[in-house]
Amino acid sequence: ATISQIADEAVPRLQQGGPVRVLKKTEIGTPDLPGLTDAPGIVQDLVLSTTLRGEPIELCQSQVFLGMEDVRNPAQRAVLEIVLTAKQNQIREVIDDYKNFLRTVRPGDEPDTQAV
């Protein structure tokens, strides 16, 4: 599956809790997002209508789907799904921290295979 298809599959999964609107879906992996320049991906912004303690609520969700190839076998890859969910009146307070966190996401170093 492509990263875009994986992002599309997230919507019906979330619809189990209530209506979901996709506000924006953007391909990433450009100089606009310096932390993600080496990895293609999708950013998907959604609004979720659900209930919290029996009361209706709308939540904003930003989903990042980030593809990372296996350096030993480029035919294999992992797709990371990194999600921020917040109330509409809180999203502005946390979005910059979320973006800063995303800039830090990198593949890890190869594990040490030698016994210690």
Side-chain angles (χ1 to χ4, degrees):
T2 67
I3 294 175
S4 184
Q5 289 168 328
I6 292 169
D8 290 343
E9 291 170 0
V11 175
R13 183 179 70 220
L14 291 169
Q15 287 174 330
Q16 294 174 13
V20 176
R21 288 189 327 252
V22 178
L23 300 178
K24 185 170 132 182
K25 184 176 177 182
T26 308
E27 290 187 22
I28 58 173
T30 68
D32 298 331
L33 294 169
L36 303 175
T37 55
D38 296 331
I42 298 285
V43 174
Q44 186 164 260
D45 295 326
L46 313 167
V47 174
L48 312 153
S49 298
T50 188
T51 58
L52 178 65
R53 293 186 280 276
E55 297 294 320
I57 187 171
E58 283 200 332
L59 299 172
C60 298
Q61 188 171 92
S62 178
Q63 303 173 331
V64 174
F65 297 86
L66 185 61
M68 294 195 177
E69 290 184 355
D70 184 329
V71 293
R72 292 188 187 147
N73 183 357
Q76 293 185 8
R77 68 170 177 177
V79 176
L80 305 178
E81 180 180 357
I82 307 166
V83 177
L84 168 69
T85 305
K87 293 180 183 178
Q88 284 186 322
N89 64 348
Q90 295 173 325
I91 196 76
R92 285 190 170 93
E93 296 173 31
V94 295
I95 195 70
D96 287 337
D97 288 338
Y98 178 64
K99 289 177 182 179
N100 288 336
F101 168 73
L102 290 172
R103 288 183 183 102
T104 69
V105 175
R106 302 272 189 284
D109 294 331
E110 286 194 40
D112 185 0
T113 56
Q114 296 179 343
V116 178

